[in-house]
Amino acid sequence: MLFTSAGPPGVRSPLVTTPASAPAPGGTAPLVVRTVPVDLADLALLDLLPEQSPVSWLRRGEGLVGWGEAARLETSGPTRFSDAVKWWSETVARAEVEDAVGEPGTGLVCFGAFAFADEPGDSVLVVPQVVVGRRGDRTWLTTVSVEAPDLRPAPAPRPPVGLTFSDGARNGEEWMSVVAEAVSRIASGDLEKVVLARDLIASTDEPLDVRWPLRRLAAQYEMCWTFHVDGLFGATPEMLVRRERGLVTSRVLAGTIRRTGDDERDLALAATLARSSKDLEEHEYAVRSVADALEPHCSSMNVPEAPFVLHLPNVMHLATDVNGVVHDVATSLQLAESLHPSAAVGGTPTPAATRLIAEIEGMPRDRYAGPVGWMDASGDGEWGIALRSAAVTDVGVRLFAGCGIVASSEPEAELAESQAKFVPVRDALEAG
């Protein structure tokens, strides 16, 4: 694990303060946190983000953005979640917090992105120096050990220069062979479902200004959660878990069909999707895995009998919202750990599916399809699954797409589905 802390002490206000109750790791100073309401009704949150160290979690103009780093944890391996829970508990305990707003997402907040598998891949929690949040008609500013900034629009983002795309670890033909192998394993009874992913490489002549695709994703996919944490960005349609004041929600997506752009034709396709035995089977596996994981933490749960069709600009999904009442002290991150990986991103049975992924997929997922989101000091928060996403690397940008494979899957159809799932980020990177 790596722990860092940065930023000069901020100016304290006369509000009620929660004092630090534990020494900081390594002798660092406690974080001084102040949340105040602000009036920014006419300003979009993404317009505030500077180019350096931005973080975001937004849907339909609401959510959280931030920048700077007051504290950071990097961890990896099978203990990555427990390491993060312990570090966050210690960080919260030593913070001095003044919160004049009292909403979920105010006070001390961290943003995180976690590796899909125990290896390879690093996981991170970041406490920004500045966070601006919005819920309904309320907007607030949180500072962590820094002076309050002058909130004004940042310089406009720069479009990518010299953008080109190339195959990632496997080309289309190779990936279809992997799908065929997975179908063969399923037919032999090794497992019921496996989710296979592939990547696409975007190269640019200059380092990517991540705010460019973030703005375009937020505008084009407003029903998704647009995120950026430590180089991982995207617009996910899938909420792994939300915990808010004792209530827990998980949005499960599994089963996909590509849209044509013709409304009448798309309505017919949506009806086809809702009746598809292949897609309903895949969806049932995913819902069952989520309900089974949440049940030990909930006193009551609501699991709808049938999914609805979620319409996005490029595809349609079968979707189910699972809801429950939490009866224990599990934080949103601990709930995310219990849910990850769900059948929607791993398969069924999960241990067999993840072993097959490691054996035949042929690429490191790193943080793709892992939990990404935020958490406050109370443990409330939102963790999505890092889908429709990409990772900024030293050599460019890696785009990711995955498909659920069951016994009736056809390699050509799965390749077409994966190409449709590249569209959101690929289009967001384009200039113009």
Side-chain angles (χ1 to χ4, degrees), residues 32-46:
V32 180
V33 184
R34 185 172 186 241
T35 298
V36 296
V38 292
D39 182 9
L40 295 172
D42 298 328
L43 192 59
L45 294 183
L46 281 178

Side-chain angles (χ1 to χ4, degrees), residues 1 4 87 91 106 138 148 151 157 170 181 183 197 215 219 238 241 252 289 356 360 370-371 379 382 404 428:
M1 283 191 301
T4 60
W87 179 82
T91 302
T106 63
R138 304 191 75 184
L151 296 177
R170 298 185 187 277
E181 173 64 19
V183 171
R215 289 194 185 189
E238 192 153 358
V241 64
V252 184
S289 73
L356 185 58
I360 70 173
E382 295 178 310

Side-chain angles (χ1 to χ4, degrees), residues 218-300:
Q220 296 168 10
Y221 295 86
E222 63 174 11
M223 295 303 293
C224 297
W225 288 268
T226 300
F227 62 87
H228 175 252
V229 180
D230 196 47
L232 180 71
F233 72 93
T236 180
E238 192 153 358
M239 175 66 70
L240 180 62
V241 64
R242 174 193 294 116
R243 180 186 184 274
E244 183 174 320
R245 293 170 175 160
L247 300 178
V248 61
T249 301
S250 180
R251 170 162 288 185
V252 184
L253 304 183
T256 304
I257 195 165
R258 190 167 188 169
R259 298 190 69 160
T260 65
D262 180 281
D263 289 344
E264 186 174 344
R265 175 62 178 155
D266 286 345
L267 285 175
L269 289 174
T272 300
L273 178 64
R275 296 190 302 265
S276 165
S277 58
K278 178 264 184 186
D279 292 291
L280 288 169
E281 177 187 17
E282 179 187 345
H283 190 80
E284 182 183 355
Y285 293 147
V287 172
R288 187 173 65 204
S289 73
V290 167
D292 289 347
L294 285 179
E295 187 175 19
H297 301 283
C298 295
S299 58
S300 62

Side-chain angles (χ1 to χ4, degrees), residues 112-138:
F114 286 80
F116 174 82
D118 291 350
E119 58 181 27
D122 294 326
S123 302
V124 63
L125 283 184
V126 175
V127 179
Q129 291 177 314
V130 178
V131 175
V132 183
R134 177 170 294 156
R135 173 178 289 212
D137 60 358
R138 304 191 75 184

Side-chain angles (χ1 to χ4, degrees), residues 335-411:
L335 293 171
E337 178 185 11
S338 71
L339 287 165
H340 178 75
S342 73
V345 293
T348 306
T350 300
T354 53
R355 285 195 298 270
L356 185 58
I357 289 169
E359 178 185 345
I360 70 173
E361 192 170 71
M363 71 166 197
R365 288 193 177 190
D366 296 325
R367 297 172 184 170
Y368 167 69
V372 59
W374 64 271
M375 180 169 60
D376 65 21
S378 73
D380 283 354
E382 295 178 310
W383 296 93
I385 301 176
L387 305 175
R388 313 298 191 273
S389 62
V392 181
T393 71
D394 293 338
V395 295
V397 182
R398 288 182 72 203
L399 289 69
F400 302 95
C403 299
I405 311 302
V406 295
S408 57
S409 293
E410 299 177 354

